[in-house]
Amino acid sequence: METWEFLAAPFAAGLILTGIHAYLGLHVVERGVIFVDLALAQIAALGTVVGFLAGTELHGGGAYWWSLGFTFVGAGLFSLTRMRRSRIPHEAIIGIVYAVSAAASIAAMSRAPEGAEHLKDMLVGNILVVSWGEVGRTALLYGVVGLFHWVFRKQFLMISVDAERARREGLSVRLWDFLFYVSFGVVVTSSVAIAGVLLVFSYLIVPSVCGMLFAERVGPRLILGWSMGAGVSAAGVLLSYALDLPTGAAIVCTFGGALLIAAGVKIVLSGKS
Amino acid sequence: MKRVVTLFILLSLWAAAPAEAKLKVVTTTEDLTALAREVGGDRIEVSSIAKGYQDPHFVEAKPSYLLRLRGADLLIAVGLELEVGWLPALVQQSRNPRLLGKGSGYLDASTGCDILERRAGPVSRAEGDVHPFGNPHYWLDPDNGGVMAANIAGRLSELSPADAPYFRSRLEAFQKRLAEAARSWEDRMRPHRGVKVVTYHNSWPNFARRFGLEVVGFVEPRPGVPPSPSHTLKLIQAMKAQGVRVILVEPYFDPQTPNAVSREAGAKVVVLCPSVGGAEGVKDYFRLFEHNIALLEAVFRETGGAQ
C-alpha cells in the first residue's frame, strides 16, 4: 500500500524521537527546567541566523556547525547559572535566554532575505516529509548520545535527582551539567530541524509526565514513557492521514488526548485503592 | 468463495473504470487549476494543493498532498521559486518518478510568459525575499494567462496525443474569450490609468502594468519582511506627498499596518483577490479579474480616481 510508504518514515522518526526524548524528558522534568529545550532550540536557530548573515548557506553543513557552536555556548550558560542556593529559579534564566535569543533571531532575520520564511522553517520542521536518510543519520546520532548517557547513567541521574549528594561524593556538578546540556543541545538541534519546536517539546515532556503519574522508579517510568510515545506516534500519524491534518500538529494533539486519558485512568485507579 | 469475491471485485473495478482513463493533474495554485480546467475539460482530473486564500509562499504539508502527487500524471507549478519553500520536499517524498528531476510530468507554467523584475546579476541578501528569476505573480496579466493555458495544452497533448485536437480547440476557444474579456477590462480601467496605489506585497506588477496603475510603494519594507516603524512612517509621508488614496492588500496578510497607514494617510484599504479561490465566487480565471476590477472601480469612484 502506497499510503504506508508515506507514513512509515514519519512514524520511524517519531519512534526515534520517543527513544531519546522520553529519557531526556525524565531529567528535564526532574530538574524542573521544562522549557530548556525551547531555549536551546532557539539558541541553535540564532546560531544559524548569525552564520547566515556571516555568509554560510542556511541549509548547508556550515549552518549546522554555527548552530552547534551556539548550542555549546547555551549549554555553558545553563550549567553556570545553576546555583546551589539562589532565590532566582533556574527556569527564570532559561526563559530570559529563550526570549532574548528569539528576539535576536527576529531582529537579525529582518536584515536577511526571505526572513520570516526561513525563521519559520527552522523552528517548524516538517515531520511528514522527513527522508529515510535523515531518519538513519538521526538514529545514529541519538544512538551515540544514548550510549554516552547509558555509560555515565550514575553521574547523570545523580546530578539531576540529587545534586547535593553528587557534591558530597565529589562529582563536579558543573562539568556534568555542562555535558548534560551539550548532549541535550545536540539532540534538540537535530530534532527541531526534523520535527519542529512544538513536537519536540511534546516528545520530551508528555511521556515523562505520563511515566511519573504511574511509577516511582526510573526504569518503569522509562518503559511507560516509551510505550506511550510509540503509541502516540502511531496514532498521531494515522489521525493525520485519516483527517488530513498537518502531521506534526496531529501528533501534538494526540499527545494531549493521551495524557488526559492517562490522568483519567490514574484518578479511577487511586479512587479504587 | 474467495475466488468468487476476487472475481466480483475485478468485475466491479472494470465496470467502474471509464473507457479512457483521465489524466490526473495536480497544480500548486488554484489559478493553474482554473487554467488547466479551461483547456483540459472533461479529459483531465485536476486539483490544487494551495487554496486561493492561502499565501502560496507557505504551504503546510498534509498526507493527502503526498498521495495526490504520487498518483499524478502531471504537476503544474507557477515556478520562479514561488513554491521553493515547500514543493521540492513534497515532490521528493511523493517518490513519483514522473515528477522527479523535472521529468515529463513536471510543467513550469511560466515558460514564455512576460516576466517582470528579472535579475541579471546576483541578488543581494539585503534586498529581502527577492525572486531572482523574476516576479512570480505573473498570472495576474491576462496575456500571460493565455500563454500559460497554451503551455498546459501543449503538455497535455504530449501526455495524451489522442486528445490533442480536443485540447487545441478548447485552448483556442479560451484564448478568444480571454482576449475579448481583456479588452473589456481594459476599457473599464481606462478612466483610472495612472492612479497611484500602494500594495502590501509586491504581488501586482503585472496587473498594474496591464491596467495602468502606478505602484509607488509597499507596506512591507522588503518583500517577506514584516513592516517596521521607520518604513511605515516614510510610507505615510510618501503617500501624503503623492496623493495616494488606495492601499491594495492580499487576503493573507495582517491588515493592522495597512489600516493604520490608511488612517494616517487618508486612504482606503482594498483587499484584492490575488488568486482564483481567494474570495467568495471567484471560481475561474475570468472571475478573478472581474472581481478585482469591480473592487477597484468602486474604490476609485469613492476616492476620486485619477487626480
Side-chain angles (χ1 to χ4, degrees), chain B residues 278-301:
Chain B
E280 192 75 38
V282 180
K283 288 187 188 125
D284 60 32
Y285 193 67
F286 292 94
R287 277 180 252 190
L288 176 64
F289 290 94
E290 287 289 343
H291 176 87
N292 288 329
I293 286 171
L295 280 175
L296 287 173
E297 280 181 322
V299 74
F300 289 153
R301 227 175 287 135

PDB file of all heavy atoms in Angstrom, chain B residues 278-301:
ATOM      1  N   GLY B 278      -9.619  32.859  -3.959  1.00  0.00           N
ATOM      2  CA  GLY B 278      -9.222  33.716  -2.855  1.00  0.00           C
ATOM      3  C   GLY B 278     -10.347  34.564  -2.304  1.00  0.00           C
ATOM      4  O   GLY B 278     -10.176  35.235  -1.290  1.00  0.00           O
ATOM      5  N   ALA B 279     -11.500  34.569  -2.939  1.00  0.00           N
ATOM      6  CA  ALA B 279     -12.648  35.319  -2.442  1.00  0.00           C
ATOM      7  C   ALA B 279     -13.912  34.591  -2.878  1.00  0.00           C
ATOM      8  O   ALA B 279     -13.888  33.770  -3.802  1.00  0.00           O
ATOM      9  CB  ALA B 279     -12.642  36.747  -2.987  1.00  0.00           C
ATOM     10  N   GLU B 280     -14.980  34.881  -2.184  1.00  0.00           N
ATOM     11  CA  GLU B 280     -16.281  34.277  -2.478  1.00  0.00           C
ATOM     12  C   GLU B 280     -16.629  34.465  -3.965  1.00  0.00           C
ATOM     13  O   GLU B 280     -16.576  35.585  -4.474  1.00  0.00           O
ATOM     14  CB  GLU B 280     -17.328  34.987  -1.600  1.00  0.00           C
ATOM     15  CG  GLU B 280     -18.670  34.329  -1.555  1.00  0.00           C
ATOM     16  CD  GLU B 280     -18.668  33.082  -0.684  1.00  0.00           C
ATOM     17  OE1 GLU B 280     -18.000  33.110   0.362  1.00  0.00           O
ATOM     18  OE2 GLU B 280     -19.323  32.102  -1.076  1.00  0.00           O
ATOM     19  N   GLY B 281     -16.943  33.381  -4.629  1.00  0.00           N
ATOM     20  CA  GLY B 281     -17.423  33.486  -6.001  1.00  0.00           C
ATOM     21  C   GLY B 281     -16.352  33.591  -7.064  1.00  0.00           C
ATOM     22  O   GLY B 281     -16.666  33.561  -8.257  1.00  0.00           O
ATOM     23  N   VAL B 282     -15.081  33.721  -6.660  1.00  0.00           N
ATOM     24  CA  VAL B 282     -14.013  33.801  -7.666  1.00  0.00           C
ATOM     25  C   VAL B 282     -13.620  32.377  -8.030  1.00  0.00           C
ATOM     26  O   VAL B 282     -12.705  31.795  -7.460  1.00  0.00           O
ATOM     27  CB  VAL B 282     -12.807  34.596  -7.138  1.00  0.00           C
ATOM     28  CG1 VAL B 282     -11.713  34.674  -8.197  1.00  0.00           C
ATOM     29  CG2 VAL B 282     -13.234  35.987  -6.748  1.00  0.00           C
ATOM     30  N   LYS B 283     -14.394  31.826  -9.007  1.00  0.00           N
ATOM     31  CA  LYS B 283     -14.238  30.390  -9.264  1.00  0.00           C
ATOM     32  C   LYS B 283     -13.425  30.089 -10.507  1.00  0.00           C
ATOM     33  O   LYS B 283     -13.016  28.962 -10.701  1.00  0.00           O
ATOM     34  CB  LYS B 283     -15.620  29.741  -9.397  1.00  0.00           C
ATOM     35  CG  LYS B 283     -16.343  29.658  -8.063  1.00  0.00           C
ATOM     36  CD  LYS B 283     -17.621  28.862  -8.190  1.00  0.00           C
ATOM     37  CE  LYS B 283     -18.432  28.944  -6.914  1.00  0.00           C
ATOM     38  NZ  LYS B 283     -19.785  29.412  -7.147  1.00  0.00           N
ATOM     39  N   ASP B 284     -13.227  31.058 -11.376  1.00  0.00           N
ATOM     40  CA  ASP B 284     -12.387  30.773 -12.534  1.00  0.00           C
ATOM     41  C   ASP B 284     -11.532  31.994 -12.875  1.00  0.00           C
ATOM     42  O   ASP B 284     -11.613  33.040 -12.222  1.00  0.00           O
ATOM     43  CB  ASP B 284     -13.232  30.320 -13.731  1.00  0.00           C
ATOM     44  CG  ASP B 284     -14.241  31.368 -14.157  1.00  0.00           C
ATOM     45  OD1 ASP B 284     -13.957  32.573 -14.011  1.00  0.00           O
ATOM     46  OD2 ASP B 284     -15.330  30.984 -14.634  1.00  0.00           O
ATOM     47  N   TYR B 285     -10.716  31.812 -13.922  1.00  0.00           N
ATOM     48  CA  TYR B 285      -9.737  32.838 -14.268  1.00  0.00           C
ATOM     49  C   TYR B 285     -10.422  34.145 -14.673  1.00  0.00           C
ATOM     50  O   TYR B 285      -9.917  35.233 -14.402  1.00  0.00           O
ATOM     51  CB  TYR B 285      -8.857  32.292 -15.400  1.00  0.00           C
ATOM     52  CG  TYR B 285      -7.614  33.100 -15.663  1.00  0.00           C
ATOM     53  CD1 TYR B 285      -6.599  33.175 -14.722  1.00  0.00           C
ATOM     54  CD2 TYR B 285      -7.443  33.781 -16.861  1.00  0.00           C
ATOM     55  CE1 TYR B 285      -5.456  33.901 -14.956  1.00  0.00           C
ATOM     56  CE2 TYR B 285      -6.295  34.508 -17.111  1.00  0.00           C
ATOM     57  CZ  TYR B 285      -5.299  34.574 -16.161  1.00  0.00           C
ATOM     58  OH  TYR B 285      -4.168  35.294 -16.394  1.00  0.00           O
ATOM     59  N   PHE B 286     -11.589  34.068 -15.294  1.00  0.00           N
ATOM     60  CA  PHE B 286     -12.285  35.291 -15.713  1.00  0.00           C
ATOM     61  C   PHE B 286     -12.802  36.060 -14.509  1.00  0.00           C
ATOM     62  O   PHE B 286     -12.663  37.271 -14.410  1.00  0.00           O
ATOM     63  CB  PHE B 286     -13.458  34.941 -16.645  1.00  0.00           C
ATOM     64  CG  PHE B 286     -12.998  34.392 -17.959  1.00  0.00           C
ATOM     65  CD1 PHE B 286     -12.894  33.025 -18.152  1.00  0.00           C
ATOM     66  CD2 PHE B 286     -12.646  35.240 -18.997  1.00  0.00           C
ATOM     67  CE1 PHE B 286     -12.442  32.517 -19.357  1.00  0.00           C
ATOM     68  CE2 PHE B 286     -12.198  34.742 -20.210  1.00  0.00           C
ATOM     69  CZ  PHE B 286     -12.100  33.369 -20.386  1.00  0.00           C
ATOM     70  N   ARG B 287     -13.402  35.306 -13.578  1.00  0.00           N
ATOM     71  CA  ARG B 287     -13.973  35.978 -12.412  1.00  0.00           C
ATOM     72  C   ARG B 287     -12.900  36.588 -11.512  1.00  0.00           C
ATOM     73  O   ARG B 287     -13.178  37.514 -10.753  1.00  0.00           O
ATOM     74  CB  ARG B 287     -14.863  35.016 -11.625  1.00  0.00           C
ATOM     75  CG  ARG B 287     -16.254  34.956 -12.247  1.00  0.00           C
ATOM     76  CD  ARG B 287     -17.155  34.021 -11.506  1.00  0.00           C
ATOM     77  NE  ARG B 287     -17.368  32.830 -12.328  1.00  0.00           N
ATOM     78  CZ  ARG B 287     -18.254  31.903 -12.058  1.00  0.00           C
ATOM     79  NH1 ARG B 287     -19.010  32.002 -10.971  1.00  0.00           N
ATOM     80  NH2 ARG B 287     -18.410  30.872 -12.840  1.00  0.00           N
ATOM     81  N   LEU B 288     -11.667  36.068 -11.619  1.00  0.00           N
ATOM     82  CA  LEU B 288     -10.566  36.660 -10.858  1.00  0.00           C
ATOM     83  C   LEU B 288     -10.394  38.129 -11.249  1.00  0.00           C
ATOM     84  O   LEU B 288     -10.306  39.021 -10.395  1.00  0.00           O
ATOM     85  CB  LEU B 288      -9.284  35.874 -11.142  1.00  0.00           C
ATOM     86  CG  LEU B 288      -7.981  36.382 -10.532  1.00  0.00           C
ATOM     87  CD1 LEU B 288      -8.036  36.333  -9.018  1.00  0.00           C
ATOM     88  CD2 LEU B 288      -6.798  35.543 -11.027  1.00  0.00           C
ATOM     89  N   PHE B 289     -10.377  38.395 -12.537  1.00  0.00           N
ATOM     90  CA  PHE B 289     -10.197  39.783 -12.993  1.00  0.00           C
ATOM     91  C   PHE B 289     -11.469  40.595 -12.789  1.00  0.00           C
ATOM     92  O   PHE B 289     -11.415  41.753 -12.381  1.00  0.00           O
ATOM     93  CB  PHE B 289      -9.755  39.793 -14.461  1.00  0.00           C
ATOM     94  CG  PHE B 289      -8.352  39.297 -14.649  1.00  0.00           C
ATOM     95  CD1 PHE B 289      -8.110  37.973 -14.954  1.00  0.00           C
ATOM     96  CD2 PHE B 289      -7.272  40.144 -14.472  1.00  0.00           C
ATOM     97  CE1 PHE B 289      -6.815  37.502 -15.100  1.00  0.00           C
ATOM     98  CE2 PHE B 289      -5.969  39.686 -14.611  1.00  0.00           C
ATOM     99  CZ  PHE B 289      -5.743  38.359 -14.933  1.00  0.00           C
ATOM    100  N   GLU B 290     -12.631  39.962 -13.084  1.00  0.00           N
ATOM    101  CA  GLU B 290     -13.912  40.653 -12.878  1.00  0.00           C
ATOM    102  C   GLU B 290     -13.994  41.185 -11.446  1.00  0.00           C
ATOM    103  O   GLU B 290     -14.329  42.345 -11.209  1.00  0.00           O
ATOM    104  CB  GLU B 290     -15.082  39.684 -13.114  1.00  0.00           C
ATOM    105  CG  GLU B 290     -15.340  39.324 -14.562  1.00  0.00           C
ATOM    106  CD  GLU B 290     -15.930  40.490 -15.353  1.00  0.00           C
ATOM    107  OE1 GLU B 290     -16.419  41.442 -14.711  1.00  0.00           O
ATOM    108  OE2 GLU B 290     -15.873  40.428 -16.594  1.00  0.00           O
ATOM    109  N   HIS B 291     -13.693  40.302 -10.497  1.00  0.00           N
ATOM    110  CA  HIS B 291     -13.787  40.615  -9.076  1.00  0.00           C
ATOM    111  C   HIS B 291     -12.887  41.806  -8.735  1.00  0.00           C
ATOM    112  O   HIS B 291     -13.324  42.787  -8.132  1.00  0.00           O
ATOM    113  CB  HIS B 291     -13.379  39.382  -8.273  1.00  0.00           C
ATOM    114  CG  HIS B 291     -13.338  39.568  -6.784  1.00  0.00           C
ATOM    115  ND1 HIS B 291     -14.447  39.407  -5.986  1.00  0.00           N
ATOM    116  CD2 HIS B 291     -12.320  39.916  -5.959  1.00  0.00           C
ATOM    117  CE1 HIS B 291     -14.111  39.638  -4.730  1.00  0.00           C
ATOM    118  NE2 HIS B 291     -12.833  39.954  -4.679  1.00  0.00           N
ATOM    119  N   ASN B 292     -11.610  41.715  -9.115  1.00  0.00           N
ATOM    120  CA  ASN B 292     -10.655  42.750  -8.741  1.00  0.00           C
ATOM    121  C   ASN B 292     -10.968  44.079  -9.418  1.00  0.00           C
ATOM    122  O   ASN B 292     -10.853  45.148  -8.806  1.00  0.00           O
ATOM    123  CB  ASN B 292      -9.230  42.304  -9.077  1.00  0.00           C
ATOM    124  CG  ASN B 292      -8.738  41.221  -8.130  1.00  0.00           C
ATOM    125  OD1 ASN B 292      -9.144  41.191  -6.971  1.00  0.00           O
ATOM    126  ND2 ASN B 292      -7.898  40.338  -8.611  1.00  0.00           N
ATOM    127  N   ILE B 293     -11.378  44.022 -10.685  1.00  0.00           N
ATOM    128  CA  ILE B 293     -11.644  45.271 -11.396  1.00  0.00           C
ATOM    129  C   ILE B 293     -12.893  45.946 -10.841  1.00  0.00           C
ATOM    130  O   ILE B 293     -12.927  47.176 -10.688  1.00  0.00           O
ATOM    131  CB  ILE B 293     -11.705  45.002 -12.913  1.00  0.00           C
ATOM    132  CG1 ILE B 293     -10.269  44.770 -13.394  1.00  0.00           C
ATOM    133  CG2 ILE B 293     -12.357  46.151 -13.661  1.00  0.00           C
ATOM    134  CD1 ILE B 293     -10.137  44.293 -14.803  1.00  0.00           C
ATOM    135  N   ALA B 294     -13.895  45.136 -10.478  1.00  0.00           N
ATOM    136  CA  ALA B 294     -15.091  45.729  -9.867  1.00  0.00           C
ATOM    137  C   ALA B 294     -14.732  46.429  -8.558  1.00  0.00           C
ATOM    138  O   ALA B 294     -15.192  47.540  -8.271  1.00  0.00           O
ATOM    139  CB  ALA B 294     -16.138  44.645  -9.628  1.00  0.00           C
ATOM    140  N   LEU B 295     -13.874  45.793  -7.736  1.00  0.00           N
ATOM    141  CA  LEU B 295     -13.451  46.403  -6.465  1.00  0.00           C
ATOM    142  C   LEU B 295     -12.698  47.708  -6.720  1.00  0.00           C
ATOM    143  O   LEU B 295     -12.912  48.711  -6.031  1.00  0.00           O
ATOM    144  CB  LEU B 295     -12.541  45.444  -5.697  1.00  0.00           C
ATOM    145  CG  LEU B 295     -13.201  44.316  -4.912  1.00  0.00           C
ATOM    146  CD1 LEU B 295     -12.137  43.399  -4.332  1.00  0.00           C
ATOM    147  CD2 LEU B 295     -14.050  44.895  -3.787  1.00  0.00           C
ATOM    148  N   LEU B 296     -11.804  47.680  -7.703  1.00  0.00           N
ATOM    149  CA  LEU B 296     -11.003  48.870  -7.990  1.00  0.00           C
ATOM    150  C   LEU B 296     -11.890  50.009  -8.504  1.00  0.00           C
ATOM    151  O   LEU B 296     -11.734  51.160  -8.086  1.00  0.00           O
ATOM    152  CB  LEU B 296      -9.909  48.541  -9.013  1.00  0.00           C
ATOM    153  CG  LEU B 296      -8.753  47.696  -8.464  1.00  0.00           C
ATOM    154  CD1 LEU B 296      -7.813  47.274  -9.576  1.00  0.00           C
ATOM    155  CD2 LEU B 296      -7.994  48.463  -7.390  1.00  0.00           C
ATOM    156  N   GLU B 297     -12.844  49.676  -9.402  1.00  0.00           N
ATOM    157  CA  GLU B 297     -13.755  50.707  -9.914  1.00  0.00           C
ATOM    158  C   GLU B 297     -14.483  51.383  -8.755  1.00  0.00           C
ATOM    159  O   GLU B 297     -14.583  52.610  -8.690  1.00  0.00           O
ATOM    160  CB  GLU B 297     -14.781  50.084 -10.857  1.00  0.00           C
ATOM    161  CG  GLU B 297     -14.250  49.841 -12.250  1.00  0.00           C
ATOM    162  CD  GLU B 297     -15.319  49.246 -13.159  1.00  0.00           C
ATOM    163  OE1 GLU B 297     -16.121  48.409 -12.675  1.00  0.00           O
ATOM    164  OE2 GLU B 297     -15.357  49.628 -14.322  1.00  0.00           O
ATOM    165  N   ALA B 298     -14.966  50.533  -7.822  1.00  0.00           N
ATOM    166  CA  ALA B 298     -15.734  51.082  -6.698  1.00  0.00           C
ATOM    167  C   ALA B 298     -14.863  52.014  -5.860  1.00  0.00           C
ATOM    168  O   ALA B 298     -15.287  53.121  -5.502  1.00  0.00           O
ATOM    169  CB  ALA B 298     -16.282  49.938  -5.845  1.00  0.00           C
ATOM    170  N   VAL B 299     -13.631  51.593  -5.546  1.00  0.00           N
ATOM    171  CA  VAL B 299     -12.812  52.399  -4.652  1.00  0.00           C
ATOM    172  C   VAL B 299     -12.307  53.664  -5.359  1.00  0.00           C
ATOM    173  O   VAL B 299     -12.186  54.725  -4.743  1.00  0.00           O
ATOM    174  CB  VAL B 299     -11.650  51.584  -4.046  1.00  0.00           C
ATOM    175  CG1 VAL B 299     -10.544  51.318  -5.061  1.00  0.00           C
ATOM    176  CG2 VAL B 299     -11.059  52.306  -2.841  1.00  0.00           C
ATOM    177  N   PHE B 300     -12.051  53.568  -6.645  1.00  0.00           N
ATOM    178  CA  PHE B 300     -11.593  54.765  -7.356  1.00  0.00           C
ATOM    179  C   PHE B 300     -12.726  55.783  -7.465  1.00  0.00           C
ATOM    180  O   PHE B 300     -12.494  56.986  -7.410  1.00  0.00           O
ATOM    181  CB  PHE B 300     -11.072  54.401  -8.759  1.00  0.00           C
ATOM    182  CG  PHE B 300      -9.763  53.646  -8.735  1.00  0.00           C
ATOM    183  CD1 PHE B 300      -9.424  52.790  -9.768  1.00  0.00           C
ATOM    184  CD2 PHE B 300      -8.869  53.803  -7.686  1.00  0.00           C
ATOM    185  CE1 PHE B 300      -8.223  52.094  -9.747  1.00  0.00           C
ATOM    186  CE2 PHE B 300      -7.674  53.114  -7.656  1.00  0.00           C
ATOM    187  CZ  PHE B 300      -7.355  52.248  -8.692  1.00  0.00           C
ATOM    188  N   ARG B 301     -13.959  55.271  -7.619  1.00  0.00           N
ATOM    189  CA  ARG B 301     -15.094  56.186  -7.663  1.00  0.00           C
ATOM    190  C   ARG B 301     -15.187  56.929  -6.323  1.00  0.00           C
ATOM    191  O   ARG B 301     -15.393  58.140  -6.278  1.00  0.00           O
ATOM    192  CB  ARG B 301     -16.389  55.391  -7.923  1.00  0.00           C
ATOM    193  CG  ARG B 301     -17.259  56.012  -9.007  1.00  0.00           C
ATOM    194  CD  ARG B 301     -18.451  55.130  -9.294  1.00  0.00           C
ATOM    195  NE  ARG B 301     -18.078  53.916 -10.027  1.00  0.00           N
ATOM    196  CZ  ARG B 301     -18.514  52.684  -9.722  1.00  0.00           C
ATOM    197  NH1 ARG B 301     -19.324  52.483  -8.709  1.00  0.00           N
ATOM    198  NH2 ARG B 301     -18.141  51.664 -10.445  1.00  0.00           N
TER     199      ARG B 301
END
